[in-house]
Coordinates of all heavy atoms in Angstrom, one line a residue:
M1 N 116.9 113.1 116.7 CA 116.1 113.3 118.0 C 116.1 114.7 118.4 O 117.2 115.3 118.7 CB 116.6 112.4 119.0 CG 115.8 112.4 120.3 SD 116.5 111.1 121.4 CE 116.3 111.9 122.9
S2 N 115.0 115.4 118.4 CA 115.0 116.8 118.8 C 114.7 116.9 120.3 O 113.9 116.2 121.0 CB 113.9 117.6 118.1 OG 112.6 117.2 118.5
K3 N 115.5 117.8 120.9 CA 115.4 118.0 122.3 C 114.3 119.1 122.6 O 114.2 120.0 121.9 CB 116.8 118.5 122.8 CG 117.1 118.4 124.2 CD 118.5 118.8 124.4 CE 118.9 118.5 125.9 NZ 120.3 118.9 126.2
T4 N 113.5 118.8 123.7 CA 112.5 119.8 123.9 C 113.2 121.0 124.7 O 114.1 120.9 125.4 CB 111.4 119.3 124.9 OG1 112.0 118.8 126.1 CG2 110.6 118.1 124.3
K5 N 112.6 122.2 124.3 CA 113.2 123.4 124.9 C 112.6 123.7 126.3 O 111.4 123.6 126.4 CB 112.9 124.6 124.0 CG 113.5 124.5 122.6 CD 113.1 125.6 121.7 CE 113.7 125.4 120.3 NZ 113.3 126.4 119.4
P6 N 113.5 124.0 127.3 CA 113.0 124.3 128.6 C 112.2 125.6 128.6 O 112.5 126.5 127.7 CB 114.2 124.4 129.4 CG 115.3 124.8 128.5 CD 114.9 124.1 127.2
E7 N 111.3 125.8 129.4 CA 110.5 127.0 129.5 C 111.5 128.2 130.0 O 112.3 128.0 130.8 CB 109.4 126.9 130.5 CG 108.4 128.1 130.6 CD 107.3 127.9 131.5 OE1 106.9 126.7 131.6 OE2 106.7 128.9 131.9
L8 N 111.4 129.3 129.3 CA 112.2 130.5 129.6 C 111.8 131.0 131.0 O 110.6 131.3 131.2 CB 112.1 131.6 128.6 CG 112.9 131.2 127.3 CD1 112.6 132.2 126.2 CD2 114.4 131.2 127.5
P9 N 112.7 131.2 131.9 CA 112.4 131.8 133.2 C 112.0 133.2 133.2 O 112.3 133.9 132.2 CB 113.7 131.5 134.0 CG 114.8 131.5 133.1 CD 114.1 130.9 131.8
N10 N 111.4 133.7 134.2 CA 111.1 135.1 134.4 C 112.3 136.0 134.5 O 112.3 137.1 133.9 CB 110.2 135.3 135.7 CG 109.9 136.7 136.0 OD1 109.3 137.4 135.1 ND2 110.3 137.2 137.1
H11 N 113.4 135.5 135.1 CA 114.6 136.3 135.3 C 115.8 135.4 134.8 O 116.0 134.3 135.2 CB 114.8 136.6 136.7 CG 115.9 137.5 137.1 ND1 116.0 138.1 138.2 CD2 117.0 137.9 136.3 CE1 117.1 138.9 138.3 NE2 117.7 138.8 137.1
L12 N 116.5 135.9 133.8 CA 117.6 135.1 133.2 C 118.8 136.0 132.9 O 118.7 137.2 132.5 CB 117.1 134.5 131.8 CG 118.1 133.5 131.1 CD1 118.4 132.3 131.9 CD2 117.5 133.1 129.8
S13 N 120.0 135.5 133.2 CA 121.3 136.2 133.0 C 122.2 135.4 132.1 O 122.2 134.2 132.2 CB 121.9 136.5 134.3 OG 123.2 137.1 134.1
I14 N 123.0 136.0 131.3 CA 124.0 135.3 130.5 C 125.3 135.0 131.2 O 126.2 134.3 130.7 CB 124.3 136.0 129.1 CG1 125.0 137.3 129.3 CG2 123.0 136.1 128.3 CD1 125.5 137.9 128.0
N15 N 125.5 135.6 132.4 CA 126.7 135.5 133.2 C 126.6 134.1 134.0 O 125.8 134.0 134.9 CB 126.8 136.7 134.2 CG 128.1 136.6 135.0 OD1 128.8 135.7 135.0 ND2 128.4 137.8 135.6
P16 N 127.6 133.2 133.7 CA 127.6 132.0 134.4 C 127.7 132.0 136.0 O 127.3 131.2 136.7 CB 128.8 131.2 133.8 CG 129.0 131.9 132.6 CD 128.6 133.3 132.7
R17 N 128.2 133.2 136.4 CA 128.4 133.4 137.9 C 127.1 133.9 138.6 O 127.0 133.8 139.8 CB 129.5 134.4 138.2 CG 130.9 133.9 137.8 CD 132.0 134.8 138.2 NE 131.9 136.1 137.6 CZ 132.4 136.5 136.4 NH1 133.1 135.6 135.7 NH2 132.2 137.7 135.9
S18 N 126.1 134.2 137.8 CA 124.9 134.8 138.3 C 124.0 133.6 138.8 O 123.9 132.5 138.2 CB 124.1 135.5 137.2 OG 122.8 135.8 137.6
P19 N 123.2 133.8 139.9 CA 122.3 132.8 140.4 C 121.1 132.7 139.4 O 120.3 131.7 139.5 CB 121.8 133.3 141.7 CG 122.1 134.8 141.7 CD 123.2 135.0 140.8
H20 N 121.0 133.6 138.4 CA 119.8 133.5 137.4 C 120.3 133.0 136.1 O 119.6 133.1 135.1 CB 119.3 134.9 137.3 CG 118.8 135.5 138.5 ND1 117.7 135.1 139.2 CD2 119.3 136.6 139.3 CE1 117.5 135.8 140.3 NE2 118.5 136.7 140.4
Y21 N 121.4 132.3 136.1 CA 121.9 131.7 134.9 C 121.4 130.3 134.8 O 121.5 129.5 135.7 CB 123.5 131.7 134.9 CG 124.2 130.9 133.8 CD1 124.3 131.6 132.6 CD2 124.6 129.6 133.9 CE1 124.9 130.9 131.5 CE2 125.2 129.0 132.8 CZ 125.3 129.6 131.6 OH 126.0 129.0 130.6
V22 N 120.8 129.9 133.6 CA 120.2 128.6 133.4 C 120.8 128.0 132.1 O 120.4 128.4 131.0 CB 118.7 128.6 133.3 CG1 118.1 127.2 133.1 CG2 118.1 129.3 134.5
E23 N 121.8 127.2 132.3 CA 122.6 126.7 131.2 C 121.7 126.0 130.1 O 121.9 126.2 128.9 CB 123.6 125.7 131.6 CG 124.6 125.2 130.6 CD 125.7 124.4 131.1 OE1 125.8 124.2 132.3 OE2 126.5 123.9 130.2
E24 N 120.7 125.3 130.5 CA 119.9 124.5 129.5 C 119.2 125.5 128.5 O 118.9 125.1 127.4 CB 118.7 123.7 130.2 CG 119.2 122.6 131.1 CD 119.6 123.1 132.5 OE1 119.0 124.0 133.1 OE2 120.7 122.7 133.0
C25 N 118.8 126.7 129.0 CA 118.1 127.7 128.1 C 119.1 128.1 127.0 O 118.7 128.5 125.9 CB 117.7 128.9 128.9 SG 116.4 128.5 130.0
F26 N 120.4 128.2 127.2 CA 121.4 128.7 126.2 C 121.8 127.7 125.2 O 122.6 127.9 124.3 CB 122.6 129.3 127.0 CG 122.2 130.5 127.8 CD1 122.2 130.5 129.1 CD2 121.9 131.7 127.1 CE1 121.8 131.6 129.8 CE2 121.5 132.8 127.8 CZ 121.5 132.8 129.2
E27 N 121.2 126.4 125.3 CA 121.5 125.4 124.3 C 120.6 125.8 123.0 O 120.8 125.1 122.0 CB 121.1 124.0 124.8 CG 122.0 123.6 125.9 CD 121.6 122.3 126.5 OE1 120.6 121.7 126.1 OE2 122.3 121.8 127.5
H28 N 119.7 126.7 123.1 CA 118.9 127.1 122.0 C 119.1 128.6 121.8 O 119.4 129.4 122.8 CB 117.4 126.8 122.3 CG 117.2 125.4 122.7 ND1 117.2 124.3 121.9 CD2 117.1 124.9 124.0 CE1 117.0 123.2 122.6 NE2 116.9 123.5 123.8
D29 N 118.8 129.2 120.6 CA 118.8 130.6 120.4 C 117.6 131.3 121.1 O 116.5 130.9 120.9 CB 118.7 131.0 118.9 CG 120.1 130.7 118.2 OD1 121.1 130.6 118.9 OD2 120.1 130.5 117.0
I30 N 118.0 132.3 121.9 CA 116.9 133.1 122.6 C 116.8 134.5 122.0 O 117.9 135.1 121.8 CB 117.3 133.2 124.1 CG1 117.4 131.8 124.8 CG2 116.3 134.1 124.9 CD1 117.9 131.8 126.2
G31 N 115.6 134.9 121.9 CA 115.4 136.3 121.4 C 114.8 137.1 122.5 O 114.0 136.6 123.3
I32 N 115.1 138.4 122.6 CA 114.5 139.3 123.6 C 113.9 140.5 122.9 O 114.6 141.1 122.1 CB 115.6 139.8 124.6 CG1 116.4 138.7 125.2 CG2 114.9 140.7 125.6 CD1 115.6 137.9 126.2
R33 N 112.6 140.8 123.1 CA 112.0 141.9 122.5 C 111.8 142.9 123.7 O 111.2 142.6 124.7 CB 110.7 141.5 122.0 CG 110.3 142.3 120.8 CD 109.0 141.8 120.1 NE 109.3 140.8 119.0 CZ 108.9 139.5 119.2 NH1 108.2 139.1 120.1 NH2 109.3 138.6 118.2
F34 N 112.4 144.1 123.5 CA 112.3 145.1 124.6 C 111.6 146.4 123.9 O 112.1 146.9 122.9 CB 113.7 145.5 125.0 CG 113.8 146.6 126.1 CD1 113.2 146.3 127.3 CD2 114.3 147.8 125.9 CE1 113.2 147.3 128.3 CE2 114.4 148.8 126.8 CZ 113.8 148.5 128.1
K35 N 110.5 146.8 124.5 CA 109.7 147.9 124.0 C 109.3 147.7 122.6 O 109.3 148.6 121.8 CB 110.4 149.2 124.2 CG 110.6 149.7 125.6 CD 111.2 151.0 125.7 CE 111.4 151.4 127.2 NZ 112.0 152.8 127.2
G36 N 109.0 146.4 122.2 CA 108.5 146.1 120.9 C 109.6 145.9 119.8 O 109.3 145.4 118.7
K37 N 110.9 146.1 120.2 CA 112.0 145.9 119.2 C 112.9 144.8 119.7 O 113.2 144.7 120.9 CB 112.8 147.1 119.0 CG 112.1 148.3 118.4 CD 112.9 149.5 118.2 CE 112.1 150.6 117.6 NZ 112.9 151.8 117.5
E38 N 113.3 143.9 118.8 CA 114.2 142.8 119.1 C 115.6 143.3 119.3 O 116.1 144.1 118.5 CB 114.2 141.7 118.0 CG 114.9 140.5 118.5 CD 114.8 139.3 117.5 OE1 113.8 139.3 116.7 OE2 115.6 138.4 117.5
R39 N 116.3 143.0 120.5 CA 117.6 143.4 120.8 C 118.5 142.2 121.0 O 118.1 141.2 121.4 CB 117.6 144.2 122.2 CG 116.6 145.3 122.3 CD 117.1 146.7 122.2 NE 118.4 147.0 122.7 CZ 118.7 148.0 123.6 NH1 117.7 148.8 124.0 NH2 119.9 148.3 123.9
T40 N 119.8 142.5 120.7 CA 120.8 141.4 120.7 C 121.9 141.7 121.8 O 122.8 140.9 121.9 CB 121.5 141.2 119.4 OG1 122.1 142.4 118.9 CG2 120.5 140.7 118.3
D41 N 121.7 142.8 122.5 CA 122.7 143.2 123.4 C 122.3 143.0 124.9 O 122.9 143.6 125.8 CB 123.2 144.7 123.2 CG 122.0 145.7 123.2 OD1 120.9 145.2 123.3 OD2 122.3 146.9 123.3
I42 N 121.3 142.3 125.2 CA 120.8 142.1 126.5 C 121.7 141.1 127.3 O 121.9 140.0 126.8 CB 119.3 141.6 126.4 CG1 118.4 142.5 125.6 CG2 118.8 141.4 127.9 CD1 118.2 143.8 126.1
E43 N 122.1 141.6 128.5 CA 122.9 140.7 129.4 C 122.0 140.0 130.4 O 122.3 138.8 130.8 CB 123.9 141.5 130.1 CG 124.9 142.3 129.3 CD 126.1 141.5 128.9 OE1 126.5 140.6 129.6 OE2 126.7 141.7 127.8
E44 N 121.0 140.6 130.8 CA 120.1 140.0 131.8 C 118.7 140.6 131.7 O 118.6 141.8 131.2 CB 120.7 140.4 133.2 CG 119.9 139.7 134.4 CD 120.7 140.0 135.7 OE1 121.8 140.4 135.7 OE2 120.1 139.7 136.7
Y45 N 117.6 139.9 132.0 CA 116.3 140.4 131.9 C 115.4 139.9 133.0 O 115.7 138.9 133.7 CB 115.6 140.1 130.6 CG 115.2 138.7 130.4 CD1 114.0 138.2 131.0 CD2 116.0 137.8 129.6 CE1 113.7 136.8 130.9 CE2 115.6 136.5 129.5 CZ 114.4 136.0 130.1 OH 114.1 134.7 129.9
N46 N 114.4 140.7 133.3 CA 113.3 140.3 134.3 C 112.0 140.7 133.7 O 111.7 141.9 133.6 CB 113.5 140.9 135.7 CG 112.6 140.3 136.7 OD1 111.5 140.2 136.5 ND2 113.2 139.9 137.8
I47 N 111.2 139.8 133.3 CA 109.9 140.0 132.6 C 108.9 140.7 133.6 O 108.3 141.7 133.3 CB 109.3 138.8 132.0 CG1 110.3 138.3 130.9 CG2 107.9 139.0 131.5 CD1 110.0 136.9 130.3
S48 N 108.7 140.1 134.8 CA 107.7 140.6 135.7 C 108.0 142.0 136.2 O 107.1 142.8 136.4 CB 107.5 139.6 136.9 OG 108.6 139.5 137.7
E49 N 109.3 142.3 136.4 CA 109.6 143.6 136.9 C 109.8 144.7 135.8 O 110.0 145.8 136.0 CB 110.9 143.6 137.8 CG 110.7 142.8 139.1 CD 112.0 142.7 139.9 OE1 113.0 143.5 139.6 OE2 112.0 141.9 140.8
G50 N 109.9 144.1 134.5 CA 109.9 145.0 133.4 C 111.3 145.7 133.1 O 111.3 146.9 133.0
W51 N 112.4 145.0 133.2 CA 113.7 145.6 133.0 C 114.7 144.7 132.3 O 114.5 143.5 132.3 CB 114.3 146.2 134.2 CG 114.5 145.2 135.4 CD1 113.8 145.1 136.5 CD2 115.6 144.3 135.5 NE1 114.3 144.1 137.3 CE2 115.4 143.6 136.7 CE3 116.7 143.9 134.8 CZ2 116.3 142.5 137.2 CZ3 117.6 142.9 135.2 CH2 117.3 142.3 136.4
V52 N 115.6 145.3 131.6 CA 116.7 144.6 131.0 C 118.1 145.3 131.4 O 118.0 146.4 131.8 CB 116.7 144.5 129.5 CG1 115.5 143.8 129.0 CG2 116.7 145.9 128.9
K53 N 119.2 144.5 131.3 CA 120.5 145.1 131.6 C 121.3 144.9 130.4 O 121.4 143.8 129.8 CB 121.1 144.5 132.8 CG 120.5 144.8 134.1 CD 121.3 144.3 135.3 CE 120.6 144.7 136.6 NZ 121.4 144.2 137.8
I54 N 121.9 146.0 129.9 CA 122.9 145.9 128.8 C 124.2 146.4 129.3 O 124.3 147.2 130.3 CB 122.4 146.8 127.6 CG1 122.2 148.3 128.0 CG2 121.0 146.3 127.1 CD1 122.0 149.3 126.9
S55 N 125.3 146.0 128.6 CA 126.6 146.5 129.0 C 127.0 147.8 128.5 O 126.6 148.1 127.4 CB 127.7 145.4 128.7 OG 127.7 145.2 127.3
S56 N 127.6 148.6 129.3 CA 128.0 150.0 128.9 C 129.2 149.8 127.9 O 130.1 149.0 128.1 CB 128.5 150.7 130.1 OG 129.2 151.9 129.7
P57 N 129.2 150.6 126.8 CA 130.2 150.4 125.8 C 131.6 151.0 126.2 O 132.6 150.6 125.7 CB 129.7 151.3 124.6 CG 128.6 152.2 125.2 CD 128.1 151.5 126.4
T58 N 131.6 151.9 127.2 CA 132.9 152.4 127.7 C 133.2 152.2 129.2 O 134.4 152.0 129.5 CB 132.8 154.0 127.4 OG1 131.7 154.5 128.1 CG2 132.8 154.3 125.9
T59 N 132.3 152.3 130.0 CA 132.5 152.3 131.5 C 132.7 150.8 132.0 O 132.0 149.9 131.6 CB 131.4 152.9 132.3 OG1 131.1 154.1 131.7 CG2 131.7 153.0 133.7
K60 N 133.8 150.6 132.8 CA 134.1 149.3 133.3 C 133.9 149.4 134.9 O 134.1 150.4 135.5 CB 135.6 148.9 133.0 CG 135.9 149.0 131.5 CD 135.5 147.8 130.8 CE 136.0 147.8 129.4 NZ 135.2 147.3 128.5
D61 N 133.7 148.2 135.4 CA 133.6 148.1 136.9 C 135.1 147.9 137.4 O 136.0 147.8 136.7 CB 132.7 147.0 137.4 CG 133.1 145.6 137.1 OD1 134.3 145.4 136.6 OD2 132.4 144.7 137.3
R62 N 135.2 147.7 138.7 CA 136.5 147.6 139.3 C 137.3 146.4 138.9 O 138.5 146.2 139.1 CB 136.5 147.8 140.8 CG 135.7 146.7 141.5 CD 135.6 147.1 143.0 NE 134.8 146.1 143.6 CZ 134.9 145.7 144.9 NH1 135.9 146.2 145.5 NH2 134.1 144.8 145.4
F63 N 136.6 145.4 138.4 CA 137.2 144.1 137.9 C 137.5 144.1 136.4 O 138.0 143.2 135.9 CB 136.3 142.9 138.2 CG 136.0 142.8 139.7 CD1 134.7 143.1 140.2 CD2 137.0 142.5 140.6 CE1 134.5 143.1 141.5 CE2 136.7 142.4 142.0 CZ 135.5 142.7 142.4
G64 N 137.2 145.3 135.7 CA 137.5 145.4 134.3 C 136.4 144.8 133.4 O 136.5 144.8 132.2
R65 N 135.2 144.5 134.0 CA 134.1 144.0 133.2 C 133.2 145.2 132.9 O 133.1 146.2 133.7 CB 133.3 143.0 134.0 CG 134.1 141.7 134.2 CD 133.2 140.7 134.9 NE 132.7 141.1 136.2 CZ 133.2 140.7 137.3 NH1 134.1 139.8 137.4 NH2 132.7 141.1 138.5
P66 N 132.5 145.2 131.7 CA 131.6 146.3 131.4 C 130.6 146.5 132.5 O 130.0 145.6 133.0 CB 131.0 145.9 130.1 CG 131.9 144.9 129.5 CD 132.5 144.2 130.7
L67 N 130.3 147.7 132.8 CA 129.3 148.1 133.8 C 127.9 147.9 133.1 O 127.7 148.2 131.9 CB 129.4 149.6 134.1 CG 128.8 150.0 135.4 CD1 129.5 149.4 136.6 CD2 129.0 151.5 135.6
L68 N 127.0 147.4 133.8 CA 125.6 147.1 133.3 C 124.7 148.2 133.6 O 124.7 148.8 134.7 CB 125.1 145.8 133.9 CG 125.8 144.5 133.6 CD1 125.1 143.3 134.3 CD2 125.9 144.3 132.1
I69 N 123.9 148.6 132.6 CA 123.0 149.7 132.6 C 121.5 149.1 132.6 O 121.2 148.2 131.8 CB 123.1 150.6 131.4 CG1 124.5 151.2 131.4 CG2 122.0 151.7 131.5 CD1 124.8 151.9 130.1
K70 N 120.7 149.5 133.6 CA 119.3 148.9 133.7 C 118.4 149.8 132.9 O 118.3 151.0 133.1 CB 118.9 148.8 135.1 CG 117.6 148.1 135.4 CD 117.2 148.3 136.8 CE 117.1 146.9 137.4 NZ 116.6 147.0 138.8
L71 N 117.6 149.2 132.0 CA 116.6 150.0 131.2 C 115.2 149.4 131.6 O 115.1 148.2 131.6 CB 116.8 149.8 129.7 CG 118.2 150.3 129.2 CD1 118.3 149.9 127.8 CD2 118.4 151.7 129.4
K72 N 114.3 150.2 131.8 CA 112.9 149.7 132.2 C 112.0 149.9 131.0 O 112.1 150.8 130.2 CB 112.3 150.6 133.3 CG 113.1 150.3 134.6 CD 112.4 151.0 135.8 CE 113.1 150.7 137.1 NZ 112.5 149.6 137.7
G73 N 111.1 148.8 130.9 CA 110.1 148.8 129.8 C 109.6 147.4 129.6 O 109.9 146.5 130.4
E74 N 108.7 147.2 128.6 CA 108.1 145.9 128.4 C 109.1 144.9 127.8 O 109.8 145.2 126.9 CB 106.9 146.1 127.4 CG 106.2 144.8 127.1 CD 105.1 145.0 126.1 OE1 104.7 146.2 125.9 OE2 104.7 144.0 125.6
V75 N 109.2 143.7 128.5 CA 110.2 142.7 128.0 C 109.5 141.4 127.7 O 108.5 141.0 128.3 CB 111.2 142.4 129.3 CG1 112.2 141.4 128.8 CG2 111.8 143.6 129.8
E76 N 109.9 140.9 126.6 CA 109.4 139.6 126.1 C 110.5 138.7 125.6 O 111.4 139.1 124.9 CB 108.4 139.8 124.9 CG 107.7 138.6 124.4 CD 107.0 138.9 123.1 OE1 106.7 140.1 122.8 OE2 106.7 137.9 122.4
A77 N 110.5 137.5 126.2 CA 111.6 136.5 125.8 C 111.0 135.4 125.0 O 109.9 135.0 125.3 CB 112.3 136.0 127.1
F78 N 111.7 134.9 124.0 CA 111.2 133.8 123.2 C 112.4 133.0 122.5 O 113.5 133.5 122.5 CB 110.3 134.4 122.1 CG 111.0 135.4 121.2 CD1 111.6 135.0 120.0 CD2 111.1 136.7 121.5 CE1 112.3 135.9 119.2 CE2 111.7 137.6 120.7 CZ 112.3 137.2 119.5
Y79 N 112.1 131.8 122.1 CA 113.0 131.0 121.4 C 112.9 131.4 119.9 O 111.8 131.5 119.4 CB 112.8 129.5 121.6 CG 113.3 129.0 123.0 CD1 112.4 128.6 123.8 CD2 114.6 129.0 123.3 CE1 112.8 128.1 125.1 CE2 115.0 128.6 124.5 CZ 114.1 128.1 125.4 OH 114.5 127.7 126.7
K80 N 114.1 131.5 119.2 CA 114.1 131.8 117.8 C 113.8 130.5 117.0 O 114.1 129.4 117.4 CB 115.4 132.4 117.3 CG 115.6 133.8 118.0 CD 116.9 134.4 117.4 CE 117.1 135.8 118.0 NZ 118.2 136.4 117.5

């Protein structure tokens, strides 16, 4: 029995503490295309505002988590 995939929201985060985290979406593989190229390092996205957040490879916040960097551009989310 195949489960129907929920519609991907406009704003989605992989952080379970975020109000934009939708657990049902992560039961399936999600792809993000940013500026025409598929990226695998996206932490959060917003399609209508046209931005993604990626984690910094070196800088940490005061809790020891990677600092998020916001990049602006065309965002497209899809199921693989």
Side-chain angles (χ1 to χ4, degrees):
M1 180 172 145
S2 70
K3 202 174 186 184
T4 59
K5 296 177 182 175
E7 188 174 333
L8 285 169
N10 176 57
H11 189 165
L12 185 64
S13 173
I14 65 169
N15 185 345
R17 292 185 299 270
S18 169
H20 302 291
Y21 178 79
V22 181
E23 187 174 355
E24 298 81 42
C25 291
F26 294 107
E27 293 174 359
H28 310 283
D29 284 339
I30 298 173
I32 306 291
R33 214 173 272 118
F34 180 65
K35 293 184 179 178
K37 294 183 181 174
E38 192 170 336
R39 306 253 328 226
T40 58
D41 60 346
I42 305 295
E43 299 275 331
E44 187 173 346
Y45 72 78
N46 189 312
I47 296 171
S48 64
E49 294 179 14
W51 57 260
V52 296
K53 288 186 179 179
I54 61 169
S55 60
S56 168
T58 55
T59 310
K60 307 276 187 216
D61 68 8
R62 62 187 178 147
F63 302 109
R65 296 185 298 255
L67 200 63
L68 294 180
I69 301 168
K70 185 188 244 183
L71 304 174
K72 292 187 174 269
E74 183 183 340
V75 181
E76 180 187 346
F78 58 93
Y79 285 115
K80 293 184 179 182

